[in-house]
Amino acid sequence: MHYPEPISKLIDSFMKLPGIGPKTAQRLAFYVLNMKEEDVVSFSKSLIEVKRELLYCSVCGHITDVDPCYICSDKTRDRSTLCVVQDTKDVIAMEKMREYRGLYHVLHGAISPMDGVGPEDINVPSLLERLKDDEIKEVILATNPNIEGETTAMYIQRLINPIGIKTTRPAQGLSIGGDLEYADEVTLSKAIAHRTEM
Amino acid sequence: MHYPEPISKLIDSFMKLPGIGPKTAQRLAFYVLNMKEEDVVSFSKSLIEVKRELLYCSVCGHITDVDPCYICSDKTRDRSTLCVVQDTKDVIAMEKMREYRGLYHVLHGAISPMDGVGPEDINVPSLLERLKDDEIKEVILATNPNIEGETTAMYIQRLINPIGIKTTRPAQGLSIGGDLEYADEVTLSKAIAHRTEM
């Protein structure tokens, strides 16, 4: 035994986090040793709170401490547009933009036959249930622009098509602030194919 | 407000740790959300325990949950050798080696006039106190091989010299498994100067 019991337990806990190996875990644990007591207490408390007080919104699937979440229960939002995303972090990214005023639907994953994830393993059935609501006029399929995301978007689009709701997908093209020469070929070819008139 | 309250508090706590920025903190907080409840509870508990149950050994200054620490109270250890290190992590590194069987003295820092750290700001007085003990025959000055560490070692060596206790310093030279071509000039020149006969 090299460490006193409490510190070796803390190192083990830090090592359970993604991207944190033994050396970093040790460094963090020793750092905690010298942190202000109130900071450590608040850290310890919020860990438990995140685990115990947060749940997924029963309407959209976003994480929340009240059900339905603050977005679903916000009466000022545009209830005719629904943005479908893969992850709660995508909702946060969208909200940071401060432009989209519609509602969300979090799939919690994407269709990936390679990993054995089918449409029924992600929140697709609850999405179809929501679409029975007459209010929704447009579904933005904002899944990730990769194989799994595209597959998922395509699959959902085919399900929605017969219902007659408009489906859209965010534009694909060059990143703002990026360099043309560093854009990958697929992105560049999409950007050229979908060029817009000035 | 983009995040529910508990998660934004947890993100703030993670961001207080060294080397963890907003993006990593967010990733870790969301990871906690999906961790097993028992793991989160044990994480939360050990944070508090590390802060409340650990103290510095009153003899050697190593971190411990009992005073004196398990090294100082181990009767099988060689009480004639004292290894002086800068930090508790150095004790752990030494203990991992499983070869040194003597005692330790943790300075909790090094002399650094640039940062206003003098000999009385680190555990030097308590070291001199311990050396009055007749048992100690050798002091290994294992401070870091950099300016501050060398200065500290030299300072302590001058204090100990009149008492007539042997002082040593770990050998400096090439790292095992390293490449000669990548060794820095100072290390290489020390390695050549202190070359040993085969």
Side-chain angles (χ1 to χ4, degrees):
Chain A
M1 200 233 12
H2 306 304
Y3 305 95
E5 172 101 5
I7 207 146
S8 78
K9 272 205 230 156
L10 183 59
I11 291 174
D12 287 346
S13 286
F14 272 123
M15 275 175 62
K16 290 210 175 91
L17 297 175
I20 293 185
K23 284 267 173 184
T24 311
Q26 181 188 310
R27 192 164 55 93
L28 294 178
F30 276 92
Y31 186 84
V32 168
L33 203 65
N34 297 319
M35 264 167 81
K36 273 189 278 173
E37 172 142 354
E38 60 188 81
D39 286 346
V40 178
V41 171
S42 115
F43 189 0
S44 167
K45 259 201 203 153
S46 30
L47 275 169
I48 295 287
E49 280 176 14
V50 156
K51 194 65 204 165
R52 297 217 174 128
E53 292 180 16
L54 287 186
L55 42 103
Y56 292 120
C57 173
S58 59
V59 181
C60 71
H62 186 40
I63 47 154
T64 177
D65 45 355
V66 283
D67 191 25
C69 74
Y70 72 102
I71 298 174
C72 289
S73 54
D74 184 346
K75 298 286 175 221
T76 68
R77 296 188 79 113
D78 170 15
R79 292 179 174 267
S80 66
T81 319
L82 193 65
C83 179
V84 176
V85 293
Q86 288 183 210
D87 199 274
T88 48
K89 274 172 271 190
D90 301 332
V91 175
I92 287 156
M94 289 284 291
E95 285 296 288
K96 274 193 185 148
M97 183 180 64
R98 290 169 189 277
E99 269 181 36
Y100 178 71
R101 294 292 304 157
L103 301 177
Y104 293 96
H105 192 84
V106 184
L107 295 175
H108 290 293
I111 296 171
S112 172
M114 291 278 283
D115 305 312
V117 181
E120 62 293 332
D121 299 317
I122 58 176
N123 277 348
V124 172
S126 61
L127 172 65
L128 297 177
E129 202 56 42
R130 279 183 87 179
L131 293 182
K132 289 182 181 160
D133 182 353
D134 270 354
E135 275 191 293
I136 297 167
K137 302 276 175 266
E138 179 182 353
V139 174
I140 304 172
L141 295 168
T143 51
N144 290 336
N146 55 25
I147 304 263
E148 290 81 15
E150 294 287 357
T151 311
T152 310
M154 210 131 50
Y155 177 86
I156 295 174
Q157 193 266 332
R158 281 188 196 166
L159 287 179
I160 297 178
N161 225 8
I163 316 177
I165 294 174
K166 185 167 122 189
T167 51
T168 53
R169 186 123 175 84
Q172 298 185 332
L174 301 173
S175 300
I176 311 302
D179 266 14
L180 195 99
E181 61 169 321
Y182 296 130
D184 63 289
E185 293 145 49
V186 186
T187 304
L188 192 53
S189 91
K190 289 243 182 192
I192 297 298
H194 298 107
R195 63 193 179 279
T196 55
E197 215 168 313
M198 292 178 62
Chain B
M1 203 231 11
H2 305 303
Y3 305 96
E5 171 101 6
I7 208 146
S8 78
K9 271 203 229 157
L10 184 58
I11 292 175
D12 286 348
S13 287
F14 272 123
M15 275 176 61
K16 290 210 175 92
L17 297 175
I20 293 185
K23 284 268 173 187
T24 311
Q26 181 189 311
R27 193 165 55 94
L28 294 178
F30 276 92
Y31 186 85
V32 168
L33 204 63
N34 297 318
M35 265 168 81
K36 274 188 276 176
E37 171 140 356
E38 60 188 80
D39 285 346
V40 177
V41 171
S42 113
F43 188 1
S44 165
K45 258 200 205 154
S46 30
L47 275 169
I48 294 287
E49 279 176 17
V50 155
K51 195 65 203 168
R52 296 214 175 130
E53 292 180 16
L54 287 185
L55 43 103
Y56 292 120
C57 172
S58 60
V59 181
C60 71
H62 187 38
I63 47 153
T64 178
D65 44 356
V66 282
D67 191 26
C69 74
Y70 72 102
I71 298 175
C72 289
S73 53
D74 184 346
K75 298 286 175 218
T76 68
R77 296 190 77 115
D78 170 15
R79 293 182 171 267
S80 66
T81 320
L82 193 66
C83 179
V84 176
V85 293
Q86 286 183 214
D87 198 274
T88 48
K89 274 173 270 190
D90 301 331
V91 175
I92 287 156
M94 289 284 291
E95 284 297 286
K96 273 193 185 147
M97 181 180 65
R98 289 169 189 279
E99 270 182 36
Y100 178 71
R101 295 292 305 158
L103 301 177
Y104 294 95
H105 192 85
V106 184
L107 295 175
H108 291 292
I111 297 171
S112 172
M114 290 278 284
D115 306 312
V117 181
E120 62 294 331
D121 298 316
I122 57 177
N123 275 348
V124 171
S126 62
L127 171 65
L128 296 177
E129 202 55 42
R130 278 182 87 179
L131 293 182
K132 289 182 183 160
D133 181 353
D134 270 352
E135 276 190 294
I136 296 166
K137 302 274 176 270
E138 180 183 350
V139 173
I140 305 172
L141 295 167
T143 50
N144 290 337
N146 55 24
I147 304 263
E148 289 82 13
E150 294 286 356
T151 311
T152 311
M154 209 132 51
Y155 177 84
I156 295 175
Q157 192 265 333
R158 280 188 197 166
L159 287 179
I160 297 179
N161 224 10
I163 318 179
I165 295 174
K166 187 167 119 187
T167 51
T168 54
R169 186 121 176 85
Q172 297 185 333
L174 300 174
S175 299
I176 311 302
D179 267 15
L180 195 101
E181 62 169 320
Y182 296 130
D184 64 288
E185 293 145 50
V186 186
T187 304
L188 192 55
S189 90
K190 288 244 184 191
I192 297 297
H194 299 106
R195 64 191 179 278
T196 54
E197 214 168 314
M198 292 177 63

